[in-house]
Every structure is written in C-alpha cells, then in structure tokens.
Amino acid sequence: AAGEEPLLRGIFEIGKRSCDVVLSARRLRWSPILPESPTGGTGRGVSAQEETIEMKDVFSVKLKRRRSVGQKKGGTLLGITVFKCLNKEKNKLTDYAVHLNNLSEDHCHLWFRHLKEILNGFQNRPKSLKVFVNPSSHRREATRVYYDQVAPLFKLADIKTDVTVTEYEGHALSVLKECELQAFDGVVCVGGDGSVSEVAHGLLLKAQIDAGKDTDYIPTPVRAPVPLGVIPAGETKRYCYIL
C-alpha cells in the first residue's frame, strides 16, 4: 500500500527493551527483539507484540539530550522523543511521549531528519497562529490554561504564535477587523463561550470586509479564510462540545 514502504529500519531501546523499529511514511512500528530459543529460532519481529504509531497522530519530534544544570545547548545525545496525540476520553485528547533511545549520533540524526520530513509533509498543519486569551473568563482560568498547558504544546510543535490578551469586551473584534489574516494559518480563542462568539464574529466580519461586502446586510456571507480553534477556559464549554 502507498506509504507503507519502509524508509528506515534500525534498533532502539524503547521502555528498557531493545526493539526492531521500522519507519514508513504512514506509521512508526516496533517490536521487541527476543533472545534465541533453545531450538535456535529467534523472536525478532513477533507480530503479537508489535506496537504502532500513526504518523498523522504525531505532532512533534525532538532530539533527546542529557544536560548538566544550567546548560541550555548541546549535551549528550540519548535518542529521539516522539510526541503524539492520544484519545483520553470522548472529546478529549492528551499528549503522549515515546522515547527511542540510541547513543549513536549518526543513527539518531538520520532518523530525526526522516521523521521531520514526514511531519513537514502534512500540508494542513499550522505553522503560525493568532491567539486571543480572555483573562476575565471563569475564575480567571484562561491565562493560566494557555501559558501552562497550551503554549508549551505550540512551542513543542514549532508553531509560532502572536498572542493578544484581551483587555475589554470587543477587543478581539477590533483587533480582527484590522488583522492581516493571510499571515496566519488559524485563529485560536482561549476563553468562554462569549469569547468564542466574539472571535467567530470578528473572523466572519473581517472576511466580509476583505470581500467588499456590505456588512449591514449579508444574506450569503463569505467563508472565513482561516479556521477557528477553540480552547475552553470559561464557566461553560458548550461551544467546544458542539463544535
């Protein structure tokens, strides 16, 4: 099948076990290398124990290094870490890391380059996002949610962000009316349902303005040029579940 042809095959330690690892354009799969049996057979590649990651679920790949206290660059290369999205429960995802340990610099850099090439080949992934954070959302959670939980994931995925922390009702709307949306791959709202409504309104209003539409009467509105991402941090999360 297309995308199933092996691109690389090598040995890494995964979960304290030596594993035979195979990379194709569609998936990363591995199985433990078992010792020879008394009859001389080998357990290498036993399908019952094979584990798989779909590359479409991977959002980041990083080289794993051991650094001394205070060291920010360099360090001893330990291997590669693959970060993927995992279904936690209905409507919820969590991030999950798989560590591919190998002390060979050449081996790790070769695999890292191939993994990055596959991720860069997904054309629908955002590289730059406009983010609106409403600090007044329920219990003032939005700022903490964004900077503690969301921003680190964006950074991990090499996504550039332009963040506006809103200061008053209508702030996001006024920013979006003047925003050059072509500079971004999407707009993200961190807040409650009211914040989402305002940003959605702003996105659609900007699309009508750019299309030269009469914004007082729009029977057939122009589609917004970029998608809207919703990160719930308000008292109610109806919009997020509905979407």
Side-chain angles (χ1 to χ4, degrees):
E4 293 291 355
E5 300 84 2
L7 301 174
L8 289 174
R9 184 172 189 171
I11 296 174
F12 288 90
E13 183 185 88
I14 303 175
K16 297 183 179 180
R17 296 184 301 177
S18 292
C19 294
D20 179 24
V21 186
V22 180
L23 174 67
S24 68
R26 292 182 60 182
R27 55 178 57 97
L28 179 71
R29 54 190 174 88
W30 66 92
S31 55
I33 299 173
L34 303 179
E36 287 189 358
S37 67
T39 59
T42 179
R44 184 182 177 94
V46 177
S47 59
Q49 294 178 300
E50 185 173 270
E51 296 186 59
T52 302
I53 291 177
E54 299 292 327
M55 289 303 298
K56 64 181 178 61
D57 295 329
V58 174
F59 67 90
S60 181
V61 177
K62 298 293 181 183
L63 291 171
K64 179 181 174 184
R65 296 184 182 274
R66 179 172 55 229
R67 295 185 173 124
S68 57
V69 177
Q71 185 179 3
K72 295 183 179 180
K73 294 184 178 181
T76 303
L77 184 62
L78 301 177
I80 300 168
T81 301
V82 177
F83 298 89
K84 64 166 285 189
C85 293
L86 192 67
N87 285 316
K88 184 179 180 181
E89 54 186 275
K90 186 178 180 181
N91 273 349
K92 290 186 179 180
L93 297 173
T94 187
D95 56 296
Y96 178 74
V98 176
H99 302 285
L100 310 180
N101 299 316
N102 190 301
L103 299 181
S104 168
E105 290 259 358
D106 292 340
H107 190 66
C108 288
H109 281 291
L110 176 64
W111 278 74
F112 180 74
R113 284 197 304 271
H114 275 77
L115 287 163
K116 289 289 286 185
E117 285 174 5
I118 294 171
L119 295 189
N120 291 336
F122 293 120
Q123 297 300 318
N124 62 337
R125 298 204 172 183
K127 301 292 190 296
S128 179
L129 295 173
K130 177 64 187 174
V131 180
F132 290 94
V133 180
N134 180 2
S136 301
S137 291
H138 179 58
R139 297 177 185 169
R140 301 189 179 276
E141 285 185 344
T143 304
R144 179 189 59 79
V145 166
Y146 179 72
Y147 285 106
D148 290 356
Q149 299 180 46
V150 182
L153 292 176
F154 284 163
K155 183 178 179 180
L156 199 57
D158 298 321
I159 296 172
K160 295 179 180 178
T161 56
D162 183 81
V163 182
T164 295
V165 179
T166 57
E167 299 174 2
Y168 52 87
E169 185 177 346
H171 189 180
L173 180 62
S174 63
V175 170
L176 282 167
K177 285 173 67 176
E178 305 297 328
C179 185
E180 297 296 332
L181 290 177
Q182 62 267 28
F184 302 102
D185 300 311
V187 172
V188 174
C189 175
V190 188
D193 291 353
S195 303
V196 178
S197 180
E198 181 180 324
V199 172
H201 181 192
L203 267 176
L204 287 169
L205 183 61
K206 174 63 173 174
Q208 312 321 304
I209 293 172
D210 289 347
K213 293 262 188 177
D214 178 3
T215 56
D216 292 327
Y217 177 68
I218 312 172
T220 53
V222 173
R223 185 185 179 96
V226 294
L228 169 64
V230 179
I231 296 170
E235 186 170 3
T236 61
K237 300 178 176 64
R238 293 191 187 95
Y239 274 9
C240 194
Y241 282 103
I242 290 168
L243 290 171

